[in-house]
Amino acid sequence: MKRYHHIYKYFAGITLLLGTFTACKKDYQDASGPSSDQAFSTPIVLADVAAGLQSWYVRDRTGLLYTTVTAGSLLTGETFVTNPGNADEAQLGTGGAALLNVNVVVTGMWAVSNKIVYESDSILRSTKMIVKDAGFASGLIGYTSIFKALSLGIQANFWEQVPDTIGRPDGITNDVKFIPARQGYLRAVRTIDNALNAISAAPVSDNFLRYIPKGINIENTLYALKARYSLYAGDYAGALAAADKVDLSEKGKGALVFTSLITNPVYTLATATNNIFQVVDSSMGLPKEIQPDQADGRVPFYIKRQAKPRFIINGFFKSLNDTVPLFLPGEITLIKAECYARTGLIPQGLAELNKVVTKTADKDAYKLAANLPAVSASDKDELLTLIYKHRRIELYMGGQELEDSRRFNRPVSERKRTYFPYPFVERNDNPNTPKDPEF
C-alpha cells in the first residue's frame, strides 16, 4: 500500500495469469482508469465511475463476489475443489499452511477491495466539489458507500488486521498503518452513516438512478449493511436499530443483476464448468449435530440433486443471469435474533429465529424458506447454537461463514483457516504489514 500505483500494475499481471479477467462489459463503466479528482469533471462522469465499482465487485475470478463465495465456502467445507489443477482454489480447500501469500484468490480479494475503497474515496471527495444537485449527490454518496462498506467489511472478514486508510490520492503515503478487524467493521459503519445522513438531508433523485445498474435499493441496502457490520463489531444496539429499518419486501431488495452479457461469475466459472469447485453434499458443511433437517426447504433451494455429480450448486448461482443478493431478508431477521440472544433477551431472540425457521416461500422476497415447525431453546447457549445453524443454512455460500465461525466460537476443526495471510503484493511494499496469523 506504499503507492496504489503498484496495485494497478499488479492488475495488469494478474489479468494474464488468470485468463478469465476480461475487459469490462457493456453497461458498466471501467473504474480502472484515472482516479484523480481532476479526472472527475461532471456529475455524469462521477456516476459512471461509481457504476464501475459494481463492475469491479463482480468481475470474473478476482472480483469480490467470486473470491468471497469461493473462500468462505471452501474454508468451511461447504464446497470442495473438483479439479486440483486449480491450484489456488485447491490451497483454500486444503487450508492451513498450504494457503500461500501469492494465492490468486486471496491476492485478488485484497487488491480489488483496496481498489474499490480507493476509488470510492476519490468519488466521495469529488462529489462535494462537483455535484450541486442534492438528490443526485446523495444517490452518488449512497451507492458509492455501499461498495466501499462491502470492501471494508470483506477485508475485516478475512484478515485479522486491515488498513487504517488507503493513503493519499497523490500516492505519497508509504507507511499505511493497520487496525484490528473489528475497527475495520466500524469504518464500514461510519461510511454507511455518512451516506445515510446525506440521504436523510436529500432523498436520492430518479435522475441519479438512471446512471447505475438496476437492482439496488440504496437506502435499504445501507441499513442492511449497517446492521451486519454493527453486529460483527459487537454493537448490538446499533445492529438492532438498523435492522428494524430494513424493508424485507420485494421493493427493498439490494441485489446484483446479471444478463447474458454481464454474467454471474460463480455460475460461469464454477457451476457451469464443474471444473473448479462444487458443493459437498446436503450437510451444507455443518457438523452432524447441527446439520439441516431433511425437510428444510433451503437445502433444495441451494443444492440440486442429480445423477452425476450427485450434488451441484443451485440457489443464486444456477444460471448465467441469476441475481445475487447483497443481503437476504432472513439475514436481517437472524441479526435481530442474535442481538437479542447476546443481550440476554431469550424469548425475543427465539421469536425472531422462528420467523426464519417457519417462513414459507411466499413470504420471502427470494422465495427462500425453511418451512419448518418452530424450534425451542432453554437458554442463551442453546439459542445461539440454533442461530448459528440457521445462519449457515440461510446464508449458504454467502461469504459470511468465516466470520460466523469465529464469532460463535465454533471449534477450530470446523474451519480450515481462521484468517488469511497477507499477500506479498502488500508485504513487499508496506513495512507495516502485520505478521501472518498462524492459522
Side-chain angles (χ1 to χ4, degrees):
M1 212 167 299
K2 204 174 202 178
R3 296 184 181 214
Y4 266 73
H5 300 307
H6 84 80
I7 286 290
Y8 304 144
K9 292 177 183 176
Y10 161 74
F11 272 103
I14 204 170
T15 298
L16 296 175
L17 177 63
L18 294 178
T20 57
F21 196 86
T22 58
C24 191
K25 297 182 175 69
K26 188 176 180 182
D27 296 331
Y28 286 99
Q29 171 70 27
D30 187 352
S32 62
S35 59
S36 67
D37 295 344
Q38 291 81 4
F40 299 147
S41 56
T42 70
I44 305 308
V45 170
L46 282 169
D48 285 344
V49 178
L53 300 176
Q54 184 164 333
S55 176
W56 277 107
Y57 191 90
V58 304
R59 180 176 292 213
D60 301 315
R61 198 178 172 194
T62 55
L64 298 184
L65 177 57
Y66 177 83
T67 55
T68 54
V69 169
T70 301
S73 66
L74 285 172
L75 289 173
T76 55
E78 292 177 340
T79 60
F80 72 102
V81 174
T82 56
N83 179 358
N86 295 296
D88 298 283
E89 284 84 357
Q91 289 176 18
L92 287 162
T94 303
L99 189 60
L100 304 180
N101 304 74
V102 293
N103 183 280
V104 168
V105 176
V106 174
T107 306
M109 186 191 294
W110 181 259
V112 173
S113 59
N114 280 322
K115 177 175 176 56
I116 289 176
V117 173
Y118 179 82
E119 297 291 353
S120 297
D121 285 346
S122 296
I123 295 167
L124 295 171
R125 277 195 307 271
S126 298
T127 297
K128 298 177 182 178
M129 298 183 290
I130 295 171
V131 183
K132 306 305 179 185
D133 180 333
F136 196 102
S138 68
L140 189 54
I141 293 167
Y143 181 79
T144 299
S145 295
I146 286 171
F147 290 96
K148 178 179 178 181
L150 282 166
S151 297
L152 292 170
I154 285 167
Q155 287 186 343
N157 190 333
F158 288 94
W159 280 276
E160 190 173 26
Q161 296 186 56
V162 297
D164 186 32
T165 178
I166 297 302
R168 287 168 49 183
D170 55 16
I172 290 175
T173 304
N174 63 3
D175 61 347
V176 171
K177 303 296 192 298
F178 282 71
I179 55 177
R182 181 171 177 174
Q183 292 183 35
Y185 288 133
L186 292 174
R187 279 192 69 199
V189 172
R190 289 195 297 271
T191 296
I192 292 166
D193 281 340
N194 177 68
L196 287 171
N197 288 338
I199 293 171
S200 177
V204 177
S205 70
D206 290 339
N207 185 34
F208 170 75
L209 297 176
R210 295 166 49 203
Y211 296 99
I212 60 170
K214 298 185 183 303
I216 297 178
N217 179 315
I218 294 174
E219 184 174 12
N220 208 50
T221 301
L222 286 166
Y223 276 119
L225 295 179
K226 180 176 180 178
R228 175 189 296 172
Y229 296 133
S230 294
L231 173 70
Y232 293 174
D235 178 8
Y236 304 128
L240 188 60
D244 279 337
K245 294 183 179 179
V246 180
D247 180 353
L248 304 183
S249 72
E250 182 84 16
K251 69 178 183 179
K253 283 183 175 180
L256 305 167
V257 177
F258 297 96
T259 68
S260 58
L261 294 175
I262 308 163
T263 61
N264 182 311
V266 177
Y267 172 82
T268 304
L269 294 165
T271 312
T273 66
N274 197 38
N275 190 47
I276 300 182
F277 65 86
Q278 193 52 268
V279 295
V280 175
D281 55 31
S282 58
S283 70
M284 305 182 94
L286 293 170
K288 186 175 181 179
E289 64 272 16
I290 57 171
Q291 286 177 4
D293 299 290
Q294 291 185 351
D296 195 322
R298 295 168 296 187
V299 176
F301 180 93
Y302 280 120
I303 300 172
K304 182 179 178 181
R305 291 176 182 262
Q306 59 178 32
K308 188 176 181 180
R310 185 178 177 190
F311 302 99
I312 63 171
I313 299 168
N314 203 41
F316 301 111
F317 310 115
K318 66 183 181 300
S319 73
L320 278 174
N321 57 1
D322 268 341
T323 293
V324 179
L326 291 173
F327 70 93
L328 286 168
E331 177 188 3
I332 304 307
T333 306
L334 288 167
I335 286 172
K336 293 182 182 181
E338 186 176 343
C339 289
Y340 284 130
R342 292 196 184 278
T343 54
L345 300 173
I346 308 306
Q348 294 91 326
L350 183 61
E352 293 296 330
L353 171 61
N354 275 320
K355 290 178 183 178
V356 173
V357 173
T358 63
K359 182 174 56 177
T360 55
D362 62 308
K363 301 297 183 183
D364 187 86
Y366 295 97
K367 310 305 179 188
L368 171 63
N371 196 17
L372 293 169
V375 298
S376 61
S378 59
D379 57 32
K380 179 178 179 179
D381 289 342
E382 187 177 3
L383 178 57
L384 285 172
T385 298
L386 284 169
I387 292 170
Y388 175 75
K389 169 183 174 176
H390 288 282
R391 277 186 63 89
R392 286 290 306 276
I393 300 170
E394 187 86 3
L395 279 62
Y396 183 70
M397 289 182 66
Q400 308 300 314
E401 303 93 336
L402 199 59
E403 169 59 42
D404 282 356
S405 182
R406 294 190 304 260
R407 193 171 72 259
F408 285 86
N409 295 315
R410 298 299 301 179
V412 173
S413 59
E414 292 182 10
R415 54 185 181 266
K416 298 172 184 178
R417 271 199 80 94
T418 297
Y419 288 104
F420 279 165
Y422 295 90
F424 281 151
V425 70
E426 179 70 26
R427 187 172 300 287
N428 292 343
D429 255 359
N430 185 1
N432 295 318
T433 304
K435 179 182 178 182
D436 288 337
E438 292 184 2
F439 183 78

